[in-house]
Amino acid sequence: MTPEAAEAVLRAAGAADDAAIDVAATALAFAVRRRSEAGDPRYPEHLAERAQAVAKAAPREGTPAAQLAALRRVLVDAHGYRGDRDTYDDLRNADLAAVIDRRCGLPVALAILWLHAGRAQGWRLYGLNFPGHFLLQIETAGERLVFDPFNDGRTLGTAELRDLIKSIGGPDARLEPDHAAPLSNRGTLLRLQNNIKARLLKQSDISGAVFVLDGMLMVAPGAAALWREAGLLQVQQENLGAARRYLERAVELAESASARQRIAAELAAVRGRLN
């Protein structure tokens, strides 16, 4: 895959219904867009081979615990995928091709490998809207398990989830019902890319962050907040013409009157500087 072909994959995902998005293929396209060497065919081949290995290890019983055990045997025991605790902020940890090379990464990047391998069997897996740490849920016939791909697929009950939310949000943080809500495929991909964007901004690499945002907008062209963020970053770079275009689109897509008013004021300030 070339970077141009990768952008075509991202735009196709942006035009597709959420359920039709191939999360792993789209995550690889993000990687190729940033690094052409990530277009090597061995990466999709690796994904296919891991899915085949899980099929061979798949249990006859259809319980979530048995399905999770099969995924763990292939991804953790056989291939050593693990969370990167030593260099957590390394950009490679959110680059799916680099995660495949290094066998380690961030929770959401690892989760995409688990999602791909499990969904290839027809199993019901999805990410959760849990803040600060990406978790997965596997569900069969009304029975479900929440597990952590960063920590070898360890399962978490309610008590562990409460402890985790406090470790992230402080002692007053509470486990809320929406933390267990399924996250869309598009939302999963945006969380993956947001990790790269946030790290680039921490490094003051604004142009790099805008490049990442442009890719995110290919997958989520209706996300007003992303258009606004990209526009404001362009203002920081004094790219006022580009800023105007991003903010104009953000105004069009704003979901509330208050958001539209705020963005319109920012847009007016940019137009004033252009005039």
Side-chain angles (χ1 to χ4, degrees):
M1 186 191 304
T2 64
E4 294 76 19
E7 291 199 349
V9 170
L10 299 179
R11 294 185 190 281
D17 291 337
D18 190 81
I21 296 174
D22 185 325
V23 177
T26 309
L28 279 179
F30 276 127
V32 176
R33 182 173 176 267
R34 290 188 70 242
R35 302 186 301 114
S36 60
E37 59 269 28
D40 192 300
R42 65 190 175 90
Y43 296 113
E45 288 169 2
H46 178 86
L47 293 173
E49 289 165 1
R50 299 297 74 73
Q52 292 167 6
V54 172
K56 292 178 181 177
R60 292 185 179 180
E61 64 272 29
T63 66
Q67 293 171 350
L68 178 56
L71 288 166
R72 190 184 289 119
R73 282 197 296 274
V74 172
L75 294 172
V76 177
D77 299 340
H79 294 281
Y81 279 104
R82 59 181 177 79
D84 185 354
R85 294 175 180 81
D86 298 328
T87 56
Y88 190 84
D89 286 331
D90 192 317
L91 288 175
R92 293 175 295 177
N93 283 332
D95 177 314
L96 190 60
V99 170
I100 290 171
D101 286 336
R102 301 169 68 232
R103 298 294 195 269
C104 65
L106 292 176
V108 63
L110 294 168
I112 288 171
L113 293 165
W114 292 70
L115 284 171
H116 179 80
R119 287 176 173 176
Q121 320 312 317
W123 299 343
R124 181 169 168 75
L125 278 86
Y126 47 86
L128 296 182
N129 188 39
F130 196 88
H133 190 86
F134 199 87
L135 300 173
L136 290 173
Q137 183 161 285
I138 187 166
E139 179 179 344
T140 304
E143 186 181 354
R144 61 194 67 180
L145 285 174
V146 175
F147 67 97
D148 184 353
F150 190 78
N151 288 297
D152 302 338
R154 180 174 70 94
T155 58
L156 297 94
T158 302
E160 289 85 1
L161 291 170
R162 287 195 181 111
D163 290 342
L164 180 57
I165 198 68
K166 288 180 183 297
S167 72
I168 294 168
D172 295 330
R174 296 289 181 267
L175 188 63
E176 303 292 345
D178 67 336
H179 294 164
L183 190 64
S184 66
N185 291 327
R186 192 170 274 108
T188 298
L189 289 161
L190 293 180
R191 277 187 69 161
L192 176 73
Q193 291 302 290
N194 195 60
N195 279 286
I196 296 177
K197 182 200 70 180
R199 284 159 175 77
L200 290 172
L201 288 174
K202 190 175 181 180
Q203 298 168 10
S204 299
D205 184 353
I206 296 176
S207 61
V210 170
F211 180 83
V212 172
L213 277 164
D214 282 340
M216 295 168 75
L217 284 166
M218 292 175 193
V219 169
L226 296 179
W227 286 100
R228 175 179 180 263
E229 184 178 8
L232 295 180
L233 289 177
Q234 293 284 15
V235 171
Q236 289 187 42
Q237 292 190 297
E238 297 294 324
N239 296 330
L240 299 182
R244 180 185 62 192
R245 292 190 294 273
Y246 282 108
L247 292 174
E248 286 173 345
R249 186 62 176 146
V251 168
E252 293 172 3
L253 294 169
E255 295 181 358
S256 69
S258 59
R260 190 175 302 109
Q261 185 177 18
R262 178 185 62 182
I263 301 167
E266 293 163 342
L267 175 58
V270 170
R271 286 173 171 165
R273 292 179 64 187
L274 282 168
N275 294 333

